[in-house]
Amino acid sequence: SAGGAGRIMVLASDTSGHDLSSAFHANYFHGLVRGMICRGASIQDVFHGFNRQLLEEWNPPDAVLHSLAAAGLLLDLQAGTMEIMNCGFPPPLAASDEGWGEYQSAQVTSSPLGWFPDLPASSSHPLPTGSLTLWSDGLSELADHLGVDNLALAYRLLRQANDPAVLKNSRDDILIMRIGLSPADRPAWLPLLVQDYRGSQHVTIDPLVEFWDRSLRLALPAVPDERWADITVCAREAMLNALRHGCQGKAERQASLHVALARDGQSLRVRVQDDGPGYDFDAAAHEQAAAEQLLTEHRGLVMMRHIPAHTAFAQAGAEVTMTFPLTLSPRQ
């Protein structure tokens, strides 16, 4: 708790070293935050105060011997708000009940404490309805090395923290924190992949698909190959449609891919959105005409309507959401 009913302080830190002195500074910082927040200080005041202490008392004028990457999230459950102070951590990801994630603006991220005298102000955000995920740069570096999405790697390690097959490639400490904010009786989904693309990237769609496939297979290694083939081919067609038509192939236009896993692990949702105006197209009528006249156009839309267990279009077709079961049916 943090100085009041319904207020929760979430604090994560990562020191610049691994010696006893670094551990002391980290513990000192956590104690300072707890004490000051419980007495009504703002998260911004605490971070600014400790930064000055590092610069003026613990570091010489011409060197940075002690620094601390730190992220603080003050959750007000009654007001439905979240205050973020981020100094050196990757931006946290907030997700809805549906598992659709959004990185909290990089504008609230700065260098670690102890580097420079100026720090940004904290920022206020709506409290997510699903979950919050936070990790250190050690996870981001490992995800880059493996060529996977941060969220997919975080899910894998949260389920199996000491996974030698994955961690053998890690060069730094890894901290991962996921905070569930939806009631246990509400069907909640967990984010596994969040990616944004420019309209011009339709020409390099295959490397993008390989990235999705690699990420999801890492997160869910028990899912059969046949199921991934269905999921990735539909995601590919949806993204090609978004980039080529919704974004008109323009670099200044944007499309996004979100993948979420059901809380029980039995279903996966894929959502593709673009910032275009949508389209006026009767997919059902075209499908019937294609079957009768052997038309080849828009075969991707036909697959997207029939391979998933459920497909929903919104925003005049600028958003498509596909749901896939993760276990093969008897006929398969």
Side-chain angles (χ1 to χ4, degrees), residues 31-91:
L32 180 70
V33 171
R34 182 178 181 87
M36 292 184 67
I37 291 292
C38 287
R39 286 165 176 76
S42 70
I43 185 174
Q44 178 176 306
D45 289 342
V46 178
F47 274 58
H48 281 251
F50 188 70
N51 188 56
R52 285 193 300 271
Q53 190 168 8
L54 284 173
L55 292 170
E56 298 172 6
E57 299 181 25
W58 293 353
N59 282 334
D62 56 348
V64 178
L65 300 181
H66 304 289
S67 66
L68 188 76
L73 294 83
L74 187 57
L75 313 181
D76 192 323
L77 305 183
Q78 294 182 347
T81 59
M82 169 178 63
E83 185 181 3
I84 298 177
M85 189 75 187
N86 190 346
C87 297
F89 261 71

Side-chain angles (χ1 to χ4, degrees), residues 148-168:
V148 299
D149 190 281
N150 290 321
L151 290 162
L153 178 57
Y155 179 82
R156 171 72 175 262
L157 292 177
L158 283 171
R159 288 180 62 86
Q160 187 175 348
N162 297 313
D163 190 334
V166 175
L167 292 177
K168 66 181 181 181

Side-chain angles (χ1 to χ4, degrees), residues 56-286:
E56 298 172 6
E57 299 181 25
W58 293 353
N59 282 334
D62 56 348
V64 178
L65 300 181
H66 304 289
S67 66
L68 188 76
L73 294 83
L74 187 57
L75 313 181
D76 192 323
L77 305 183
Q78 294 182 347
T81 59
M82 169 178 63
E83 185 181 3
I84 298 177
M85 189 75 187
N86 190 346
C87 297
F89 261 71
L93 183 123
S96 67
D97 273 343
E98 298 297 313
W100 310 136
E102 180 179 358
Y103 284 97
Q104 302 306 288
S105 175
Q107 295 176 357
V108 301
T109 304
S110 78
S111 59
L113 299 172
W115 282 22
F116 304 108
D118 295 326
L119 295 180
S122 62
S123 62
S124 182
H125 306 260
L127 189 68
T129 56
S131 64
L132 273 168
T133 310
L134 177 70
W135 57 84
S136 64
D137 59 3
L139 181 129
S140 299
E141 292 170 3
L142 180 57
D144 288 342
H145 175 80
L146 297 174
V148 299
D149 190 281
N150 290 321
L151 290 162
L153 178 57
Y155 179 82
R156 171 72 175 262
L157 292 177
L158 283 171
R159 288 180 62 86
Q160 187 175 348
N162 297 313
D163 190 334
V166 175
L167 292 177
K168 66 181 181 181
N169 299 296
S170 178
R171 300 179 181 178
D172 196 2
D173 297 333
I174 294 177
L175 180 147
I176 313 168
M177 190 182 304
R178 174 167 285 154
I179 304 152
L181 295 169
S182 60
D185 60 349
R186 185 181 302 170
W189 296 69
L190 297 173
L192 287 185
L193 197 150
V194 174
Q195 293 288 318
D196 293 324
Y197 299 108
R198 299 183 304 276
S200 57
Q201 288 183 267
H202 66 89
V203 297
T204 58
I205 186 66
D206 288 335
L208 305 185
V209 175
E210 291 170 5
F211 176 86
W212 309 337
D213 184 71
R214 193 163 51 244
S215 298
L216 296 174
R217 287 175 184 268
L218 178 77
L220 302 166
V223 174
D225 290 344
E226 298 92 330
R227 180 54 65 215
W228 289 133
D230 288 344
I231 293 170
T232 53
V233 72
C234 290
R236 183 184 191 276
E237 292 302 321
M239 183 55 71
L240 273 176
N241 184 65
L243 297 176
R244 285 176 174 171
H245 304 294
C247 298
Q248 301 176 322
K250 297 179 179 179
E252 64 269 21
R253 305 289 290 274
Q254 191 173 61
S256 65
L257 174 74
H258 291 234
V259 179
L261 177 70
R263 178 180 280 171
D264 63 7
Q266 296 301 305
S267 300
L268 199 75
R269 278 183 182 165
V270 177
R271 187 184 73 178
V272 175
Q273 289 180 306
D274 64 70
D275 59 7
Y279 56 88
D280 183 13
F281 180 74
D282 190 335
H286 173 80

Side-chain angles (χ1 to χ4, degrees), residues 6-28:
R7 282 163 51 95
I8 300 172
M9 179 69 190
V10 179
L11 182 67
S13 66
D14 186 12
T15 63
S16 57
H18 300 87
D19 55 9
L20 185 60
S21 176
S22 298
F24 167 77
H25 293 136
N27 288 334
Y28 181 92

